[in-house]
Amino acid sequence: MDIDDASALIGEERPAGWIQYHDGSWAPVWPDGQVGPPFTIPELIQLATETRHRA
């Protein structure tokens, strides 16, 4: 996952739901049924921390 993926996940657009995979990763499910890229919670925390430091 890159910063664009993370921005999409924490931006204004909200997923209709979430999928959790057996490996513990999560992926958003959008209202049109498309499944977004999977990510782990540590990846999301790392990206949020990097984004905060860039501001």
Side-chain angles (χ1 to χ4, degrees):
M1 179 181 354
D2 62 16
I3 194 68
D4 292 329
D5 295 331
S7 295
L9 291 174
I10 60 177
E12 299 274 333
E13 188 177 4
R14 302 280 183 216
W18 294 91
I19 292 176
Q20 184 178 23
Y21 295 106
H22 292 289
D23 67 357
S25 63
W26 291 83
V29 179
W30 303 109
D32 65 1
Q34 295 287 329
V35 177
F39 63 91
T40 63
I41 297 303
E43 287 176 324
L44 187 59
I45 292 169
Q46 179 184 358
L47 287 167
T49 302
E50 290 172 5
T51 302
R52 188 173 357 154
H53 289 307
R54 290 181 187 170

